[in-house]
Amino acid sequence: MAKTKNKKGTSSDQVHKKKEEKKMNPFEVHVNKEKFKVLGKKQKTDMGLPGISRAKAIQKRKSTLLQEYKVQNKSNKFLDKRIGERGMDDDERATARFATLKMKSYTKKSIFNLADDEVLTHKGQTLSEIEKFDDPKSDDEFDIDDKNGNLDTNFVEEAHFGGGLLKNTGKDGSMTHKDLINQLIIESKKRKAEKQKTKEATLELTEKLDSEWKDLIPLVTKSNANQPEPEKKPEVNDYDKLMRELKFEKRGTVSDRLKTEEELAKEEKETLEKLEEERLQRMNKDDKTTTQINHRSADDLDDNFVYSDDNDEDNMLSYNNEGESNLKIEAQVNGNTLKPSTDDSINEEQVAEEEQSESEEEELETDSEDNLSDLKESEEESDDEDVVEKTETKYDHKEEVEDESKDSSEATEVKFGSKQSKEAIREVKDLIKQSREFRENVETKEAETKEVENPDIPFTFTIPDSYENLVKILEEHENHQNIVIERMIKCNHPSLSEQNKGKLGLLFAYLLQYLNDLFSDCPEKDVLKKHFELFQQLAPHIYALAQINSENAHSSTLEVIKEKFEEFRKKPKKYPDLEILVFLKLVSILFPTSDFRHKIVTPCYVFMEIMLTKCRVRSRRDISYGLFIVTLLLEYSLLSKRYLPAAINYLAGLLHMMVPKTGVKLLKIPPPFKSTSSLLVLVENCSLDAADSLKLSSIDLVEDEITPDYQIRALHNVVKLSQQFWENFKEMPSNVEVFEKISNYLALVPLVNYPKTVQDGVNCFLDDLKRYKNGRKLHYLVLDASRPKALRLYEPKVQVIYDVKQHKVQSREKAEISKLMHKVKKERKGALREIRKDNSFLSRIKINQRLESDKIRMEKTKRIYSEAAIQQSEFNSISRKKKKKQ
Amino acid sequence: MSQAEKPMKISKQLRLQGQEFLLYRKNSEILLGIIQHFDCGADQHSCLLTLEMIFCTLLKDRNMYVEVIPLKPVEKTAENQYKEWLRNTYEQCFTKILHAMEIGSPKLQMQGLSTAMNLLAYEGKYPLEGKGSLESYVPIAKLKYILMKILSTKQNNGHLINKYTEYLIFDDILFFTWKILPSLTAKSNPNEAYIMNYLLLLEKLQVHQNADKKILCSEGNASFFTFDESITVKCLNKVWHCVMHWEHTPQTQKQLLIVLLERVLTHLDKPLLLTDFLMDSLDVGGPISLLALQGIFTMIQVHNLDYPNIFTKLYSMFEPEIFHTKYKARLFYLSDLFLSSTHLPENLVAAFAKRMARLALIAPSEDIIIICNFIGNLILRHPGLKCLLNNAEKGTNNTDPYIMEERDPVKSNAINSSLWEIKSLQNHVQPSVSTAAKFINTPLPSVEWDLSTVLDKTGDDVFDKEVKKFSKLIVLQFEKPNGACIGKGERLLQFWDL
């Protein structure tokens, strides 16, 4: 308490002092005037206390400069080397001295000797010794040692303090001092040996104990587990066994309840619908889901966000007594979610970007020299280059491109709430229904064929390691190839082994090769039919294979298409071999043809278009080939309702062939058709047998001769195809224009010779066309209303304020140097001033000294003078006295 | 094996004989033997080579050189007689070589031409007679014979003319060919082969001097002639005047137009006289009218031609057939040029746009892209055409007001229509086409589309581009097929009994 009081007292004193200090004489304060006052700027030099600072300076000089001056010409100096003798209190001094002591002890003898100078100890033992833990002795041991190690107290008393010679001789004179010493030595040695012996014995014992304990350890740990076992073993009986089996049997969890058939069907339906929606989304990849927007403001975010209509209530916002507003602000979003539209816009942007980059990619190939080459060449190339060698071209599947893009990026799920897509889904459902019926027919057929199963086929197959082996296997089981393939897939399913996936990929490639070989060398009619049946059987298995290893299916199919196109490019006027048709059909089985852009389907579209526009049409084979492609095109584009002019042109061209040419007026038709060609004109009157199918058949693909029967079937199918195309394109605004040519030619075809059913079909189609033409409504194109322009905002005018200081623009080094120079200058000035002040201080001291010494001297002389005067006066008085006496 | 060796042997034999003759000049029978062998028609190729070698050496050694001193008959020494004989043989052989150019296989004809030209060159370098102070000259008479053979009336000499172009890089040959040409030009109607040859030759002849000033018939100095461009231009005009009066078949007319456009038009004195010819050609159709169109464009551009019906003609050239011709890109390029003027009436341009849109409905994919860009450019140039894309006032209509059959674009009523065709093409199967057609959905850009990038595209290019398109997305059909019948939308098996 006293201490604190004391402290308080001192602090209050200090405060008091400070207050006193602050209450300065205003005449002692010097104020530095400022030219500009800057708010918030702190300045150290706004005022100074010249008197105080001068006094400080003088004091400092007295302690430094003056001391030096005093010992200036002295050869001897007194140096006080005591530490902390001046200006330190006791504690500080003590710590400082300790510190220097430590420092001294740390001065190293060798710079390489890092750690040896100081040995750390614990209870007198070095740490390194302790760390060995060799023989930790217990405390009582130490005690014993202490007792035994030292000399006996009696002995010590006798020997050391035994009272000298007197006592010795008094008790037993036989013992001399020398004997005593010898006895002492022997005794101590004996004790040492004893001690050593006991120590060794205990050590031995502990070691023994340790080793025995080690042997025991496993027994101790095991004992817990082992003990009950030998007891229970004999008790096991069947009942227990069964019970335990039942007990430990894997239990089904609640969620794994078996699903009922309806649930399974529902689930399947849901997944199908989900996939279907994804497909639709891919199909309409860059179509806008256009929703009607009534009002669009300039700062709209295009998210269709609209405040609810406030027509029903009054718009004024007011509050009742409880402070509740009369309006509830409700936000509502048109459309189901906000996401689709934004995603769409992103998609669109991406597409647009892609397109842009595409156009950028296309390099400018502008011939600076215009050499009219296109005109010079004879435009009509010789039509008679029929000498086309049949080259057997087998493609290798060795270059199987292992697609790196294994991670098939899943399409992002975006829900479509728009009506359009729902309608599309409904239509698709109808289609599904149709096709299901169709499929059922096929299934019944298949079931019939399956019944005649051959039991001789082995149940397991390994995947052959080369194409030749596969062919061999397939040839062995010629009539059951589909079963072979099916079993092959089942035996090597990827869930059984990791490698199987690659193997099945190989099998996929082999099967493509097999198909290629089946159809490439233009087989005979009956064989062809068989091959097509085989294809139909194999198709589901190829589909399954593709599902298993999709990347591989993708890359190998693309390779095949590429290669076939390269082959075709060499002879662009001639329809390629049949395998192309099979592959194109396979593409439609394996891949969704309705996608806006698909890596495989889009090239196929291009391929078919080129074939239809380039290849010459001169025989039954050519016509059938073209019709096959047109049918495929219809199949490809049925869901997406997309338009390919080449297909319509081809149908129109075929109809043109059916019109008899009168010769007066030339009906023009663009290539590859010829204006004079009339291959398909039916001359004789034909009636149709009821049994005859009007379908086209595979034989048409190989026969060259055109029969009346074929002509009838051609017309029938052309009309039916046109009708389906027409129905598919009904929503297109230029529908009428597109089908104008077809309807014109169709009207010119003389129907008299055709059977009744065909005639009816044609007339029906013509009527439909006419009715639609009269009834259609064309909406004039209207651009989407663009977003209104936002009012122009004026940016605040910013004036640059120039600083008063002018900074030179110079390089960094220069700036640094100039800064340093400035500092040097300033320092030099300061130093000069200090020196000047030192000089004046010194001179002041000198003059003071001088004055002082002068003063002393003056006094001395005065005294001397006075003494002398006194002496003189004394002398004078004496002399005067002498005179008087005389 | 033996058959292959035989000609080798004969050519070697002939060469040896030739060398023997050159060693022992008096042995005239060897030369006669070779000529006889040449006459009989076997191994003409090697005979030609041998003769060329013999006579070239003779000319080089001046073995046929006769000094002609004025007013002094040539002395009849044995040597002179021998020289006389040699010269006669030489002339005979030359005519035979020229004969070989006319008949025989194309290969032989080419060899004949090259032999004749080589002899010509040697004769120029080492003349047979002293020609005043000049050391070398061009044997014009012989050149004329050669040209006569080239401008044959019997056959198409395209290969010979191609070979002859190798010599046209020599200034002297070029110049004298021009000089000779007027005299070889037929005045009345020649036959088609002649016209074809003539035009082919004319196409190769250039009016200007060659850049590197090489001369065939002399070693270095070209003192004997100077290349005067005014003379060649004069010859050209003279020749062209005749050519225009010939009767032309479509092939020759096409060739004529090519020559006209490439070589002649810039050098003619009065090009406007060609106007009628070009207009007539424009009516022919096909590539000829396109060439005429290009000619007319040059006339309008350079010579201020004003012709009223030009746009009607151009309009009539847009027919469905154009997509299958080779000059399609050129037609689009030219019509882009013609329609680049912003001072054309809007209904005219609208008619073009509409017609092209109609054609796009049946065009191959790559051409649809061109047409879309083209129409976009037209609308950009003529903002009045925006009513084709954005017509909010009219509402709906029953039929398209545009009349496709109308020949006159102004009367086709296109301006009251709308570009429904482009709208339809947005459903094209090909993504690139579909995207191109979507330009009508968004406000037009400020810069025109660059047509030159798309003009030369073919279907193959489109295929390659689509195949190369990198996409990670692997999508498979999700519905299991039944046989070859796909889940939905199966059409193939509805029409085909496979």
Side-chain angles (χ1 to χ4, degrees), chain A residues 689-752:
Chain A
D689 296 333
D692 274 2
S693 162
L694 280 172
K695 275 187 184 179
L696 293 163
S697 78
S698 49
I699 298 160
D700 296 330
L701 288 170
V702 280
E703 285 259 329
D704 272 346
E705 191 197 351
I706 295 173
T707 57
D709 162 59
Y710 180 70
Q711 286 168 341
I712 292 166
R713 275 186 294 145
L715 177 67
H716 176 76
N717 283 298
V718 167
V719 170
K720 287 286 168 228
L721 278 170
S722 310
Q723 196 158 9
Q724 294 220 348
F725 270 117
W726 176 72
E727 269 160 19
N728 212 15
F729 299 148
K730 244 180 186 174
E731 282 165 21
M732 248 169 50
S734 306
N735 189 333
V736 172
E737 281 79 22
V738 168
F739 287 93
E740 204 170 16
K741 225 171 216 170
I742 286 186
S743 72
N744 286 349
Y745 291 141
L746 202 54
L748 289 175
V749 175
L751 290 174
V752 196

Side-chain angles (χ1 to χ4, degrees), chain A residues 210-273:
Chain A
D210 276 355
S211 61
E212 277 172 358
W213 171 246
K214 260 177 204 165
D215 290 338
L216 275 176
I217 281 174
L219 293 175
V220 172
T221 46
K222 258 187 190 173
S223 61
N224 296 331
N226 285 354
Q227 261 179 343
E229 226 180 29
E231 289 171 18
K232 279 199 174 179
K233 252 188 179 172
E235 280 179 26
V236 172
N237 55 23
D238 288 351
Y239 171 77
D240 282 343
K241 229 183 197 172
L242 188 67
M243 192 195 75
R244 231 170 282 136
E245 262 172 20
L246 288 173
K247 207 169 156 187
F248 294 117
E249 202 177 45
K250 203 183 165 193
R251 275 179 220 176
T253 47
V254 184
S255 62
D256 277 0
R257 179 176 65 92
L258 271 181
K259 278 162 188 160
T260 59
E261 241 170 68
E262 293 117 49
E263 274 173 330
L264 277 175
K266 199 183 159 195
E267 213 166 72
E268 199 184 353
K269 203 184 116 202
E270 269 165 13
T271 50
L272 274 180
E273 270 171 11

Side-chain angles (χ1 to χ4, degrees), chain A residues 276 358 435 609 643 696, chain B residues 361 365 469 487-488 491 497:
Chain A
E276 179 63 28
E358 267 169 41
S435 61
E609 185 193 350
Y643 169 62
L696 293 163
Chain B
L361 280 182
S365 312
K469 204 149 234 150
K488 59 198 167 208
R491 284 293 176 274
D497 193 13

Side-chain angles (χ1 to χ4, degrees), chain A residues 436-659:
Chain A
R436 199 170 287 159
E437 286 164 17
F438 186 75
R439 200 195 290 183
E440 274 159 15
N441 291 340
V442 179
E443 267 172 16
T444 49
K445 236 189 245 174
E446 222 168 68
E448 282 164 23
T449 54
K450 263 193 180 174
E451 278 169 15
V452 214
E453 203 164 302
N454 195 343
D456 291 348
I457 310 167
F459 283 98
T460 53
F461 283 95
T462 50
I463 289 180
D465 47 0
S466 73
Y467 171 63
E468 284 74 25
N469 289 347
L470 176 79
V471 174
K472 214 182 275 167
I473 292 172
L474 288 178
E475 271 169 5
E476 274 172 26
H477 310 281
E478 212 184 342
N479 295 323
H480 305 278
Q481 297 188 352
N482 56 332
I483 299 166
V484 172
I485 298 292
E486 191 184 351
R487 287 182 182 168
M488 232 179 240
I489 295 170
K490 271 186 186 158
C491 292
N492 296 284
H493 201 265
S495 55
L496 301 174
S497 159
E498 195 52 36
Q499 298 165 340
N500 280 347
K501 204 175 173 189
K503 278 187 190 168
L504 287 176
L506 215 59
L507 181 64
F508 181 83
Y510 289 156
L511 279 178
L512 288 189
Q513 173 77 54
Y514 185 61
L515 281 181
N516 182 55
D517 291 355
L518 277 184
F519 291 97
S520 58
D521 14 314
C522 251
E524 296 297 309
K525 289 174 208 168
D526 41 343
V527 181
L528 185 70
K529 190 127 189 145
K530 215 166 147 194
H531 283 181
F532 266 115
E533 268 165 20
L534 189 59
F535 166 66
Q536 294 196 30
Q537 285 171 0
L538 286 181
H541 304 304
I542 297 177
Y543 171 84
L545 277 174
Q547 295 288 332
I548 287 167
N549 194 346
S550 58
E551 298 99 36
N552 178 61
H554 227 70
S555 52
S556 19
T557 320
L558 190 62
E559 281 302 311
V560 171
I561 297 290
K562 258 197 227 167
E563 203 177 298
K564 290 291 156 194
F565 188 71
E566 282 304 319
E567 244 169 63
F568 165 72
R569 200 179 274 188
K570 285 171 199 154
K571 295 175 271 176
K573 295 253 166 172
K574 194 171 171 293
Y575 279 112
D577 284 337
L578 282 177
E579 74 266 16
I580 299 284
L581 298 182
V582 176
F583 283 130
L584 288 174
K585 174 66 196 167
L586 196 65
V587 166
S588 92
I589 292 171
L590 297 184
F591 304 104
T593 51
S594 62
D595 287 10
F596 180 70
R597 174 172 259 142
H598 189 280
K599 217 181 164 188
I600 290 166
V601 178
T602 312
C604 286
Y605 268 130
V606 182
F607 194 0
M608 290 196 276
E609 185 193 350
I610 293 175
M611 279 197 277
L612 283 184
T613 46
K614 291 268 168 70
C615 294
R616 247 175 269 118
V617 187
R618 277 181 308 193
S619 63
R620 177 165 163 186
R621 180 183 172 275
D622 296 343
I623 295 167
S624 315
Y625 214 99
L627 272 174
F628 196 99
I629 293 173
V630 170
T631 325
L632 271 178
L633 272 173
L634 175 67
E635 188 176 305
Y636 271 43
S637 60
L638 194 71
L639 292 179
S640 54
K641 303 201 177 230
R642 289 192 284 155
Y643 169 62
L644 187 64
I648 307 296
N649 287 351
Y650 195 85
L651 291 176
L654 288 188
L655 284 174
H656 177 267
M657 282 176 139
M658 296 168 191
V659 177

Side-chain angles (χ1 to χ4, degrees), chain A residues 10 13 17 26 54 112 167 200 205 228 235 346 393 413 522 554 563 656 687 722 760 762 817 882:
Chain A
T10 51
D13 272 8
K17 260 184 195 171
R54 193 173 298 141
F112 303 110
K167 208 177 181 183
E200 269 173 14
L205 271 173
E235 280 179 26
I346 289 165
T393 40
E413 292 175 31
C522 251
H554 227 70
E563 203 177 298
H656 177 267
S687 60
S722 310
D760 288 349
V762 173
I817 285 170
K882 269 180 182 175

